Amino acid sequence: MPKGLREIRNRIKSVKSTGQITRAMQLVASSKMKRAQDSARAGRAYAELLGEILDTAQSKVGEFSHPLLTKRDVKVRGILLVTPDKGMAGALNGNLIRLAAEQKDAVFVCIGRKGAQALARSGRKVLADFPVTDRAAFNEVRPAAEYLLKAFTEGTVDTVEVLFAHFKNTMVQTPRVQQLLPADTLVNQAREFRVKLGLPEPKIEDDERDMLFEPSAAAILNQLPALFFKQAVHQAVLESKASEFSARMVAMKAATDNAKKIGAALSLEYNKARQAAITQEILELTAGAAAQ
């Protein structure tokens, strides 16, 4: 076999092998994507319901203050950066890391190896990083949320923000920075979070029912800011997981399609080269016979 034909055939095998790998990665990402999208959408419904509960509860109590909701002079921003552990997700990782690099006067807590590695290479200060599996259960995210709560209450950071990929649909994932702590009031915090998720503001009419709080309204409302904060962090991680698998599925599908196109073009080139080689051999045989 001529050298040129051998090289083309080897390239065809290589492209087909790569296409099989990207196809397998596409199928894996597709199976995880559906579960992650369902979890993210279910979490949005919980955020909406929690916002309505907070609105109603505070309307019955009146003025309410809490250390997590009290603004202070911002000297150090605390940012939770949520990124995938792996690549092969199109521009998702690059967009998140680029947005993180633009943040000023910030220290970081990371969920996801890609973000932690990028920040370490750039010399940014990383307070801690936490592993989270693909399922992103609440008990996996809670240590990161509690660490941020402690850093805020102890004054290590003056704000707590989360930088994550907001899931809009399978084709669109938007990196965004959202401040969680502090907020002016618990109601404003709940409403702002819901608006960031694309949820409508609650339409709550005056509730004329009498409400009894046990053990007391203050005791209950004192627990709500931390609860809402942990839920908001968990929701951001769920959004990021849905974005990750959606972006990876789209990227691997594009890679698989490109592998097929390249393989088809190489096969055509191989057939043309093979036909030219056969024609040349026939001409050489004919010329040799005529010379005799």
Side-chain angles (χ1 to χ4, degrees):
M1 179 181 296
K3 183 178 180 181
L5 289 175
R6 187 179 298 109
E7 291 177 351
I8 295 174
R9 191 177 67 175
N10 290 338
R11 285 189 62 195
I12 291 173
K13 289 182 179 179
S14 176
V15 168
K16 286 184 177 180
S17 177
T18 302
Q20 290 173 349
I21 294 172
T22 56
R23 173 62 176 168
M25 294 178 68
Q26 175 191 342
L27 294 176
V28 171
S30 179
S31 64
K32 293 182 178 180
M33 178 186 71
K34 181 62 168 61
R35 183 176 64 240
Q37 289 180 357
D38 290 343
S39 297
R41 293 191 178 103
R44 291 177 182 180
Y46 179 79
E48 183 175 7
L49 178 59
L50 182 57
E52 293 178 2
I53 292 173
L54 296 179
D55 277 354
T56 302
Q58 193 184 31
S59 69
K60 295 298 181 181
V61 175
E63 292 298 325
F64 173 70
S65 62
H66 191 280
L68 296 182
L69 308 177
T70 304
K71 288 189 175 181
R72 62 180 82 158
D73 292 336
V74 178
K75 298 178 181 178
V76 180
R77 298 166 60 199
I79 299 179
L80 173 64
L81 175 60
V82 186
T83 61
D85 287 329
K86 304 173 183 177
M88 301 294 184
L92 182 65
N93 280 321
N95 291 338
L96 288 169
I97 293 169
R98 191 177 303 110
L99 183 58
E102 296 172 357
Q103 307 306 310
K104 306 298 183 182
D105 302 322
V107 295
F108 292 86
V109 173
C110 296
I111 292 178
R113 287 195 296 270
K114 285 296 182 180
Q117 292 169 356
L119 292 176
R121 288 194 300 267
S122 64
R124 304 299 292 272
K125 185 175 182 180
V126 178
L127 298 178
D129 64 274
F130 296 86
V132 173
T133 65
D134 290 342
R135 301 189 72 87
F138 181 77
N139 62 348
E140 296 179 288
V141 179
R142 183 167 53 193
E146 291 176 346
Y147 181 90
L148 289 164
L149 279 175
K150 183 179 179 182
F152 182 79
T153 55
E154 291 180 350
T156 305
V157 298
D158 300 309
T159 67
V160 175
E161 304 164 48
V162 58
L163 196 164
F164 68 106
H166 169 63
F167 172 75
K168 186 174 182 180
N169 54 51
T170 303
M171 302 298 296
V172 180
Q173 303 86 35
T174 308
R176 63 172 46 165
V177 180
Q178 177 184 335
Q179 181 172 320
L180 299 181
L181 294 178
D184 288 331
T185 67
L186 198 59
V187 174
N188 288 344
Q189 185 191 34
R191 284 177 175 169
E192 181 182 357
F193 182 69
R194 295 167 67 207
V195 170
K196 292 285 188 180
L197 293 179
L199 299 172
E201 287 196 11
K203 297 180 180 179
I204 303 177
E205 299 179 356
D206 292 337
D207 195 332
E208 302 297 336
R209 295 175 296 176
D210 292 330
M211 294 185 181
L212 179 64
F213 294 90
E214 292 289 346
S216 67
I220 293 174
L221 287 177
N222 278 334
Q223 302 299 318
L224 288 180
L227 172 64
F228 186 84
F229 172 78
K230 293 176 184 179
Q231 191 276 333
V233 171
H234 184 224
Q235 181 63 31
V237 175
L238 292 178
E239 297 275 338
S240 295
K241 289 297 181 183
S243 298
E244 174 189 350
F245 295 128
S246 298
R248 182 169 294 122
M249 190 277 291
V250 172
M252 291 301 98
K253 184 179 186 303
T256 302
D257 293 342
N258 288 337
K260 291 179 180 178
K261 292 179 181 178
I262 294 173
L266 288 173
S267 295
L268 180 60
E269 182 181 352
Y270 176 82
N271 290 334
K272 288 181 177 179
R274 185 169 177 270
Q275 183 63 43
I278 293 173
T279 302
Q280 182 64 30
E281 290 178 1
I282 293 174
L283 290 174
E284 290 175 356
L285 291 173
T286 303
Q292 293 178 357

